[in-house]
Amino acid sequence: MAVGSDIVTPELVGKHQFDELLDPSFDATHYAHELVRSRDTMELKADKISSIMTDLSATSSSLDARMRATVLGTHEQILEQVLGVASVDVTLEQVEDQVREIKQYMHALRTKIRVPYEQALEYTRQARNLQLATRHVRATSKFMQLVRRLAVQIPESGGRPDYALAALTLVDIERLVDTSDLCGIDVVDRALATEVTPRRQQTANEANEMLVGGMRRQHQSDVGSGLQILFNLGIISNAVDTRIQASIAALHTIITGRIDPRALHIGVREHNARATAIDGRDMVGIDTILWTRQEDMIDAVLASGLEVRVLERVLQRKRDVLRVDARVDASYLDVVASKLGDRVLALWWTKVVDTIAREIHASCDESSVVRQILTNNYPRLVQLFLPRLEPLLAARLGGVTSVRDLQSSVASVLISDEDTGCAGDVDLAQSPNVRYSDWGMRVLWTRLLSVFEAEYVNKAASRMDDSVARCFPAPPPAGLVDAQSTWAQRHNTKSDELQAVSTVPNRKLVASVVRSVGTELEMAKSDARLCTMVARAATRAISSFVATTKDRLLSVMDNPRVVDPCAATAHPMTRSVIGLINCVEALRVGISELCQPADQPLTAPAQSVLCTCRDELQTFIDAQSDVLLNAADRAISQALLDVDNSSLWSHAEHALQWLQTQVLEPLDPRRSSRVHTMTDSYLTLFVHTVCVTMPLTETAKLRLASELPQLEFACSQAASTMGVRVTGDAYKSVRQMRPLLFMTSRELAQVLGERSAEWSSVSELDLLNHVVCRVATEEEAACVPHELLGCSRREWLGCVAGSEFVESTDVCRNKEMLHLWDTRNLSASCRAVVCECLKRMLEHKLADDLVALIQAALSMK
């Protein structure tokens, strides 16, 4: 017998001896067998069994007592719950009765509402059907009225049809049929098949005939009438697109294969086969046939383009009164452009240019002869399109314009004014109304002309570079150089002279550079863009000429004897330096003439480029000639400033002769102002030197008196080489120094006292210095000026003569005279030092005439 766990009490659970018995899997029979088979003695087994039975019986008694107590304790509660359940059953029965009554009421109410609703739905459905039937009847009636109106507007026989109004009627019919479901109505289908469709086709055909005829005759009224009908029919965009495609297809047939190289050769053979002249003057080459056929192509393009231009003009003038386009006051052109993507003429021109470009590029790819003809004659290629196509390309004349062009900013232009170099100027001389900034010209240049233009400019640049390269040939090989040296030794020729001959380019070659530049500019003169690009290429070629010339000048001037005015004999390479400068001067003169041609001036951008090049050449010439003039000026000035050298004139004369014979006479550039300034400075310097010469003996006076006219003559000769006359205060002061040297002290004092205008050209400082030197010469022992001032002779010269004798004059080198020196006024400082010297001379016992001379000098104003 198994013991269930549902009758286990807490006391039983606490006992360990019942754990096994409480196990759900406890088997009493198995437990008894195990107990019998155990090794315990029989007495222990009996005791164990007795103990278990006793416990079990006690537990059973305890459970019975607890069950009895529980039943007795919960009896009243159970009775109360039973009574509650009975009352609930009664309440539920009442609720069921009430729910049953509500269902009956709801069913009756649903019957009262549903029946009228269903009747209303039926009535509504019948009304809708009646309305649809009425609408179909009205639509059918209106359709028949429109059909009768269409029959009146386009009668079958007799009467003049009004296609414009008929087009509106057809549009109304189409809208009515589209908005109303009239399919399947016998009268409507029969009218569409017999009345509407034939008349619609007749109207469209008539409109297309009017459009085509008006375009062909350039008759804007016919074109406008046809467009009006097509617009009313709602097929204007398709009709215009069809006309554009038809025009493009016709031109494609004319252009394709027209300039094929094989076709050109066949044309040449056929033409020459018909030639009859004995001398062959009526025979032609491939270039003649090529240009003739291209002219025929462009004529066909012009004829077709004028038709399309008339079409676009009429489209632009006609207005959209039906408000097909959302924009206010929109034209037919706006409506068509919104459908096609661009303006009519712009679409046509783009595709035509593509066709022409494709044909020309294919011919050039197949034949290098055709490419060479078109490249070498690029200006003629431009003139092939202009001025023929000016009515189509000139935007200001109603030519090609694009919607994209109108909607874009200036930055989106394909070819900017900076690229063309044509801002503010006429781009094409043969077509002043056409500019590269016009949309049509941009398309033509971008897709066709740009390739040939680049090749033409490159060839032009190559031709100009070749003319420059001929001026400076490559050096001879080593063997030829050795042979030249041997020949020079055999004929007693110096190697420097031989090098001088090979250094300077031939004048004819330099002239050929100018001719080459002028020829290229003349050929490109009609095209402002091309002319500017050629001018830039010419500038680059001339820059290479100048760079080569500069390298040669540097290599020649590496030898200091080349530019040495004091050398005993002039170096042969000196003339080479002059020759190189003269070559650049010849180039500058030629470019100056090209800047302002006599017959037809260049465009403003090209002139600007050439003028800039001319100015750069002038700068180079001035810089290189200044090297020679500065060398001569430095040598002559140093010779004239050497006051302690009695043979100063011989050195100055030698340097002046070198300046005149080696520089000024062979030099082509006119440096008149510079030479005039140099000669004036030489005369002024010599006057300064004469005035500070000490001791001023009779021998010194005679030497100086003889050197003064020689200097005057030498300076006059040098200045006359540049076309300048020696005049001015410096010249007058030299002329007055000679009588001044031989005056007595009394006569000189009288001159200083009066100081008439006759002696105004001699500076006051020179007169004071002359007085100091004259007094020092006559009173040699007591009145040496630099000893009176406590300084050396060189320091005294620096204080009394200024910057001509010392390198730095900002600080007086005589410490005794610092209180008299003012660095801001050099002339006043020198005068103060000389006056101080004269005052110290008065402190010594001098002759009366010398005292009067010093007093006259000090009183000079």
Side-chain angles (χ1 to χ4, degrees):
M1 175 179 175
V3 179
S5 60
D6 54 337
I7 61 174
V8 177
T9 61
E11 292 82 356
L12 185 60
V13 174
K15 296 182 178 180
H16 297 287
Q17 61 269 26
F18 298 112
D19 291 341
E20 186 176 1
L21 301 178
L22 296 176
D23 190 351
S25 61
F26 176 75
D27 186 4
T29 305
H30 179 72
Y31 182 79
H33 289 169
E34 289 292 332
L35 185 62
V36 171
R37 287 196 299 269
S38 63
R39 295 180 181 180
D40 296 335
T41 61
M42 293 300 294
E43 292 80 4
L44 291 175
K45 293 179 180 179
D47 293 339
K48 188 174 182 179
I49 292 172
S50 299
S51 175
I52 291 172
M53 292 301 294
T54 302
D55 293 336
L56 286 174
S57 61
T59 303
S60 177
S61 301
S62 176
L63 287 174
D64 289 340
R66 285 180 176 271
M67 290 177 62
R68 189 178 298 111
T70 301
V71 172
L72 293 176
T74 58
H75 177 70
E76 296 297 333
Q77 296 178 358
I78 293 173
L79 289 178
E80 291 178 357
Q81 292 177 0
V82 170
L83 293 175
V85 169
S87 62
V88 168
D89 289 340
V90 175
T91 303
L92 287 176
E93 290 178 357
Q94 294 176 355
V95 170
E96 287 179 357
D97 294 339
Q98 293 176 0
V99 169
R100 194 177 298 113
E101 292 178 359
I102 291 173
K103 286 182 178 180
Q104 292 177 356
Y105 294 147
M106 290 297 296
H107 180 71
L109 183 62
R110 186 183 300 111
T111 302
K112 291 181 180 180
I113 295 175
R114 184 175 182 179
V115 172
Y117 174 71
E118 290 176 353
Q119 291 177 355
L121 286 178
E122 183 64 24
Y123 295 153
T124 303
R125 189 179 301 108
Q126 293 175 0
R128 185 185 301 111
N129 294 334
L130 180 61
Q131 185 179 6
L132 290 175
T134 305
R135 185 181 302 169
H136 279 78
V137 171
R138 289 178 179 175
T140 304
S141 175
K142 185 176 181 180
F143 175 80
M144 297 307 297
Q145 291 177 2
L146 292 175
V147 170
R148 285 193 293 270
R149 185 196 303 173
L150 180 63
V152 172
Q153 293 169 348
I154 305 178
E156 293 182 358
S157 61
R160 184 176 181 180
D162 190 348
Y163 290 106
L165 295 178
L168 292 175
T169 304
L170 288 169
V171 172
D172 292 338
I173 292 174
E174 288 181 357
R175 290 178 180 174
L176 181 62
V177 172
D178 292 339
T179 56
S180 302
D181 187 11
L182 301 180
C183 297
I185 301 177
D186 183 66
V187 65
V188 174
D189 293 341
R190 187 169 56 253
L192 286 174
T194 60
E195 301 289 339
V196 178
T197 302
R199 284 179 170 81
R200 177 181 177 80
Q201 187 63 37
Q202 181 182 352
T203 303
N205 293 338
E206 183 66 22
N208 284 324
E209 290 178 2
M210 295 173 65
L211 179 61
V212 174
M215 290 173 60
R216 185 172 57 253
R217 298 189 304 272
Q218 300 288 300
H219 198 285
Q220 296 187 11
S221 297
D222 291 347
V223 175
S225 299
L227 290 176
Q228 182 69 53
I229 296 171
L230 294 172
F231 181 79
N232 293 341
L233 289 175
I235 58 174
I236 186 171
S237 299
N238 295 333
V240 170
D241 186 42
T242 302
R243 289 309 312 149
I244 295 175
Q245 298 302 328
S247 176
I248 294 172
L251 288 176
H252 184 272
T253 304
I254 297 173
I255 294 172
T256 302
R258 186 68 176 170
I259 57 174
D260 182 74
R262 290 183 293 272
L264 292 176
H265 286 293
I266 293 173
V268 171
R269 288 196 299 269
E270 292 177 352
H271 184 278
N272 292 338
R274 296 191 298 269
T276 58
I278 298 176
D279 56 358
R281 63 177 178 272
D282 55 350
M283 299 181 70
V284 298
I286 188 174
D287 54 343
T288 304
I289 299 298
L290 174 62
W291 290 112
T292 301
R293 294 194 173 186
Q294 288 189 122
E295 289 173 359
D296 295 339
M297 289 165 44
I298 299 305
D299 290 339
V301 170
L302 176 61
S304 181
L306 291 176
E307 295 179 2
V308 178
R309 191 184 71 163
V310 169
L311 174 61
E312 181 173 290
R313 284 186 175 181
V314 177
L315 284 170
Q316 191 169 9
R317 291 174 182 174
K318 299 288 286 183
R319 293 298 161 184
D320 176 17
V321 296
L322 301 180
R323 294 292 186 268
V324 175
D325 194 280
R327 288 168 289 184
V328 178
D329 197 27
S331 63
Y332 286 4
L333 183 60
D334 298 329
V335 176
V336 173
S338 64
K339 298 292 182 61
L340 302 183
D342 205 345
R343 294 185 175 228
V344 175
L345 191 57
L347 288 173
W348 175 87
W349 175 246
T350 302
K351 294 183 179 180
V352 169
V353 171
D354 287 339
T355 303
I356 297 174
R358 188 164 48 250
E359 179 67 19
I360 292 179
H361 290 321
S363 180
C364 292
D365 294 339
E366 190 173 349
S367 173
S368 60
V369 176
V370 175
R371 177 178 291 277
Q372 185 176 1
I373 292 173
L374 295 178
T375 302
N376 293 341
N377 298 275
Y378 172 74
R380 184 176 179 181
L381 180 62
V382 176
Q383 294 173 4
L384 181 68
F385 294 93
L386 296 168
R388 276 190 178 91
L389 300 182
E390 182 174 351
L392 303 180
L393 297 180
R396 66 184 69 180
L397 299 180
V400 182
T401 55
S402 174
V403 174
R404 289 172 293 177
D405 194 21
L406 297 176
Q407 294 175 351
S408 62
S409 61
V410 178
S412 65
V413 176
L414 295 176
I415 306 174
S416 63
D417 289 338
E418 183 179 356
D419 295 333
T420 61
C422 304
D425 196 4
V426 176
D427 292 357
L428 298 160
Q430 68 271 22
S431 297
N433 293 315
V434 179
R435 299 176 61 85
Y436 273 100
S437 57
D438 293 340
W439 193 87
M441 194 62 194
R442 292 205 307 271
V443 172
L444 178 63
W445 184 89
T446 304
R447 306 191 181 190
L448 176 60
L449 299 180
S450 59
V451 177
F452 298 102
E453 181 189 70
E455 293 180 0
Y456 178 83
V457 173
N458 291 335
K459 286 191 174 184
S462 177
R463 289 190 289 267
M464 291 184 287
D465 291 338
D466 291 341
S467 64
V468 172
R470 287 193 294 270
C471 296
F472 302 99
L480 183 59
V481 174
D482 296 337
Q484 290 177 350
S485 301
T486 304
W487 181 89
Q489 293 175 1
R490 186 178 303 170
H491 292 81
N492 295 325
T493 303
K494 295 182 180 180
S495 59
D496 292 339
E497 297 178 358
L498 191 61
Q499 182 184 1
V501 174
S502 61
T503 299
V504 182
N506 193 317
R507 286 295 185 93
K508 293 182 179 180
L509 296 178
V510 177
S512 69
V513 176
V514 179
R515 285 197 302 273
S516 177
V517 174
T519 301
E520 299 297 340
L521 290 173
E522 184 66 28
M523 294 179 63
K525 188 181 296 184
S526 60
D527 189 340
R529 173 188 173 81
L530 181 63
C531 188
T532 303
M533 297 181 70
V534 171
R536 291 172 180 170
T539 301
R540 290 191 292 270
I542 293 171
S543 299
S544 66
F545 183 96
V546 173
T548 306
T549 303
K550 187 175 182 179
D551 293 339
R552 293 202 172 192
L553 286 172
L554 293 176
S555 63
V556 169
M557 291 183 181
D558 284 341
N559 187 356
R561 294 178 55 249
V562 174
V563 188
D564 185 10
C566 299
T569 57
H571 197 279
M573 294 301 292
T574 305
R575 288 298 182 95
S576 297
V577 175
I578 300 298
L580 290 172
I581 297 175
N582 289 341
C583 288
V584 180
E585 171 64 13
L587 201 58
R588 186 198 66 79
V589 173
I591 296 300
S592 299
E593 294 175 354
L594 293 177
C595 289
Q596 298 292 338
D599 51 352
Q600 182 180 356
L602 298 175
T603 59
Q607 283 187 357
S608 176
V609 173
L610 291 180
C611 289
T612 302
C613 178
R614 178 197 60 194
D615 296 340
E616 292 176 354
L617 292 176
Q618 185 64 57
T619 302
F620 175 81
I621 292 169
D622 293 343
Q624 299 303 324
S625 58
D626 281 344
V627 173
L628 301 174
L629 296 177
N630 291 338
D633 187 42
R634 187 165 48 252
I636 297 170
S637 299
Q638 289 177 355
L640 294 177
L641 290 173
D642 194 1
V643 296
D644 296 327
N645 187 358
S646 59
S647 60
L648 63 92
W649 168 243
S650 61
H651 298 294
E653 184 181 21
H654 184 77
L656 276 169
Q657 185 178 5
W658 182 89
L659 172 64
Q660 179 182 348
T661 58
Q662 298 297 319
V663 178
L664 297 181
E665 289 181 357
L667 187 65
D668 288 345
R670 300 291 90 185
R671 303 302 306 279
S672 304
S673 59
R674 175 67 192 279
V675 172
H676 186 270
T677 303
M678 290 169 61
T679 54
D680 278 356
S681 66
Y682 300 154
L683 296 174
T684 303
L685 284 176
F686 195 73
V687 170
H688 289 339
T689 303
V690 170
C691 291
V692 296
T693 300
M694 189 182 65
L696 192 60
T697 60
E698 292 299 325
T699 304
K701 291 180 181 180
L702 292 175
R703 176 177 61 82
L704 294 174
S706 64
E707 291 175 353
L708 282 171
Q710 294 180 37
L711 175 65
E712 177 189 345
F713 177 75
C715 290
S716 299
Q717 288 295 106
S720 63
T721 307
M722 292 286 106
V724 180
R725 295 184 60 186
V726 178
T727 56
D729 291 340
Y731 174 74
K732 294 178 182 178
S733 63
V734 170
R735 305 273 302 185
Q736 292 171 351
M737 281 307 299
R738 185 174 181 180
L740 194 66
L741 288 172
F742 295 99
M743 285 183 181
T744 62
S745 299
R746 191 178 301 278
E747 292 172 344
L748 182 58
Q750 185 177 358
V751 168
L752 295 179
E754 295 176 358
R755 191 69 191 282
S756 61
E758 179 183 358
W759 298 94
S760 60
S761 58
V762 182
S763 67
E764 180 181 351
L765 184 61
D766 289 337
L767 291 174
L768 292 175
N769 285 327
H770 180 67
V771 171
V772 170
C773 293
R774 179 174 289 227
V775 173
T777 301
E778 294 187 10
E779 300 291 338
E780 182 178 358
C783 295
V784 178
H786 58 274
E787 293 180 357
L788 291 176
L789 298 177
C791 61
S792 64
R793 174 175 170 77
R794 194 67 183 172
E795 292 175 344
W796 172 72
L797 289 175
C799 289
V800 301
S803 59
E804 292 83 0
F805 295 90
V806 292
E807 297 179 356
S808 177
T809 57
D810 54 345
V811 177
C812 178
R813 298 188 178 187
N814 185 358
K815 296 181 180 180
E816 298 294 332
M817 299 292 107
L818 286 178
H819 65 285
L820 302 174
W821 196 261
D822 185 5
T823 56
R824 294 170 297 180
N825 193 340
L826 181 62
S827 177
S829 301
C830 293
R831 187 183 186 283
V833 172
V834 175
C835 291
E836 181 65 22
C837 183
L838 291 174
K839 291 176 182 178
R840 295 191 180 186
M841 285 182 174
L842 287 176
E843 296 176 358
H844 296 76
K845 186 176 181 180
L846 303 175
D848 294 340
D849 54 347
L850 295 180
V851 173
L853 177 60
I854 294 174
Q855 290 176 350
L858 292 175
S859 62
M860 254 193 328
K861 295 183 180 179

